[in-house]
Amino acid sequence: MSVIDSFPLGAATTLAELARDPHARLALLRAHEPVSWLPELGGWLVTRRDLALNVMRDAAIFTVDDPRFSTAQIVGPSMLSLDGDQHARHREPFTAPFRPREVHDGFASFIERETDRLISALEPAGSVELRRAFAGPLAVAVVTEALGLVGTTADTVLAWYDSIVRSVSDITAGHETGPAGAAAYAQLRAAVEATVADRDAASLLVSAAGRLALPEVASNAAVLMFGGIETTEAMITNALLHLLERPDQLALVRADADLLDGAIEESLRLEPGAAVVDRYATRDTVLGAATIRRGDLVTVSLTGANRDPAVFPDPDRFDARRENARLQLAFAHGAHYCLAAHLARLETRIALQHLLERLPALRLDPDRPTTPHGLVFRKPPTLHVLWDSDSDSDGDSLPDGSA
């Protein structure tokens, strides 16, 4: 029996379905073929949480260090595409600023100021597309601040990020990638070199340059840049969509600010911004009921693992009070756990808190519905929202958060 015949559900799974609305298909795979061969993917898809953890914990058998790894094809070797001692050498120079206390002390005030500046610019209009007008610019500003890039603007960094992410997504989907990603990375690398050469600059990149070669600093800066922007932009837009779609849950969060963290974790569980992570088998091995061969692509569906009913009862329901929501795997697991997870959480918490406090009756635009989309990175392409501006308020409503 061929591998395709052994996994009929995987054989019938299309990448277009996984990009558009994956949850029913992932549930079917998780129940019947938790490690399944997908011909369209050219590899295995892991959808059960315990098996996903096995893959992400065992870098000796399931490695990122493979020439097919999509991100490395654009930016070269980095902490994201290396394992073992080399991974530790690339990652360690960047870790200190992203520990919980350092994140709060180093970034909270900046995030507060930038959030309020962006909201003040939007406030009079009464409507906006929030992903591009708020979530993206906030994420870009924080990443630019964290890296300490000199001579760049948020718009420039956002343009680089768009091109690099598009190229990575194209490679993952098996498409030819154009020159834009490589060109964007060349510009980012030049900015990194300028930053390191600036003797007056005090930045994470300058300190990392004391322990890594310049190309290594640049490749890791690229990983931090698009990882930080993608993760946070997706977290903010997905969490807002989840809350604004569910008035009962929004009311709970408004009534008890302590539930905001739970709502963010639950949003990460239901719709992680990074839907999958890739690994490559270093030897023949057995995972679940599947016999995996050396060199096989093994893709972990974080989206699938996060809705495993063995861990999360009623897994398709959004519950801001879910007690074990932090068991979600949106930031991956093991050696490659997201370096800036604490920063992404802080940004999202401040962003949501200020939006809900400052924009009265914040709500989705009923004429412009949206839903998350994407094979590798999942978020709403747009998030059109409305609120009561000063010009259309009758003055009788209570301020948001006063319930």
Side-chain angles (χ1 to χ4, degrees):
M1 182 181 290
S2 72
V3 67
I4 293 175
D5 292 333
S6 300
F7 300 96
L9 291 175
T13 300
T14 68
L15 298 186
E17 179 184 19
L18 294 180
R20 185 181 62 253
D21 186 10
H23 301 298
R25 171 62 61 172
L26 292 174
L28 202 59
L29 288 167
R30 191 174 50 239
H32 301 287
E33 297 175 13
V35 183
S36 183
W37 180 262
L38 273 60
E40 279 208 12
L41 186 66
W44 301 94
L45 188 68
V46 181
T47 50
R48 210 173 73 197
R49 187 178 181 279
D50 61 327
L51 298 173
L53 286 172
N54 289 345
V55 172
M56 291 187 286
R57 284 171 174 163
D58 194 343
I61 297 179
F62 302 103
T63 186
V64 297
D65 194 354
D66 187 280
R68 292 167 290 175
F69 196 79
S70 55
T71 306
Q73 292 184 47
I74 304 298
V75 306
S78 71
M79 69 177 87
L80 194 65
S81 58
L82 295 167
D83 276 315
D85 291 344
Q86 282 289 79
H87 168 257
R89 186 177 71 82
H90 276 249
R91 182 175 170 119
E92 198 279 330
F94 295 93
T95 55
F98 296 113
R99 297 186 181 110
R101 180 181 294 277
E102 284 78 5
V103 162
H104 187 273
D105 292 347
F107 295 103
S109 295
F110 177 83
I111 297 169
E112 296 261 2
R113 289 195 306 272
E114 192 64 18
T115 298
D116 284 333
R117 185 187 70 80
L118 289 166
I119 294 175
S120 293
L122 305 175
E123 212 165 7
S127 67
V128 79
E129 195 286 287
L130 208 55
R131 182 192 151 201
R132 275 304 190 208
F134 176 79
L138 176 61
V140 171
V142 175
V143 163
T144 305
E145 172 78 3
L147 293 179
L149 283 172
V150 299
T152 58
T153 67
D155 287 344
T156 301
V157 172
L158 185 58
W160 293 339
Y161 148 80
D162 279 338
S163 296
I164 292 173
V165 167
R166 196 175 303 115
S167 294
V168 170
S169 296
D170 284 345
I171 291 170
T172 304
H175 303 317
E176 289 291 322
T177 184
Y185 178 60
Q187 293 170 30
L188 170 64
R189 181 168 167 172
V192 170
E193 291 174 354
T195 300
V196 172
D198 183 352
R199 295 185 178 183
D200 295 327
S203 79
L204 180 56
L205 300 180
V206 173
S207 74
R211 284 179 281 179
L212 297 173
L214 206 52
E216 296 171 336
V217 177
S219 63
N220 286 294
V223 165
L224 288 169
M225 183 188 79
F226 79 69
I229 296 169
E230 185 65 42
T231 299
T232 312
E233 186 186 66
M235 280 178 69
I236 293 169
T237 51
N238 285 337
L240 271 171
L241 180 60
H242 282 135
L243 284 172
L244 297 179
E245 282 181 328
R246 297 165 176 83
D248 60 326
Q249 295 292 310
L250 181 59
L252 286 175
V253 171
R254 286 194 185 283
D256 183 357
D258 290 341
L259 285 178
L260 184 55
D261 287 330
I264 292 168
E265 296 302 314
E266 183 72 336
S267 177
L268 286 167
R269 186 188 69 80
L270 275 184
E271 205 68 80
V276 296
V277 294
D278 288 346
R279 300 291 186 266
Y280 298 88
T282 61
R283 66 187 81 150
D284 292 355
T285 190
V286 173
L287 184 68
T291 300
I292 294 170
R293 300 300 180 194
R294 181 177 180 271
D296 281 356
L297 167 66
V298 180
T299 295
V300 172
S301 172
L302 302 176
T303 304
N306 275 357
R307 298 197 187 204
D308 190 335
V311 179
F312 305 105
D314 197 4
D316 297 326
R317 181 171 62 90
F318 183 99
D319 182 2
R321 293 182 290 196
R322 188 182 293 273
E323 292 183 356
N324 69 346
R326 281 190 77 107
L327 294 179
Q328 52 80 18
L329 301 176
F331 294 114
H333 193 79
H336 290 278
Y337 182 81
C338 176
L339 181 69
H342 298 299
L343 180 58
R345 283 186 169 108
L346 179 66
E347 284 180 71
T348 304
R349 184 189 316 123
I350 291 172
L352 265 60
Q353 183 179 8
H354 286 225
L355 285 168
L356 293 175
E357 286 175 353
R358 292 192 53 187
L359 302 181
L362 183 64
R363 59 199 182 275
L364 296 175
D365 185 340
D367 296 328
R368 306 175 93 165
T370 192
T371 188
H373 185 276
L375 177 66
V376 181
F377 306 113
R378 286 187 63 79
K379 56 177 175 273
T382 60
L383 187 65
H384 290 276
V385 296
L386 309 172
W387 61 91
D388 295 343
S389 62
D390 289 341
S391 59
D392 58 18
S393 173
D394 59 10
D396 293 331
S397 59
L398 289 170
D400 284 349
S402 62

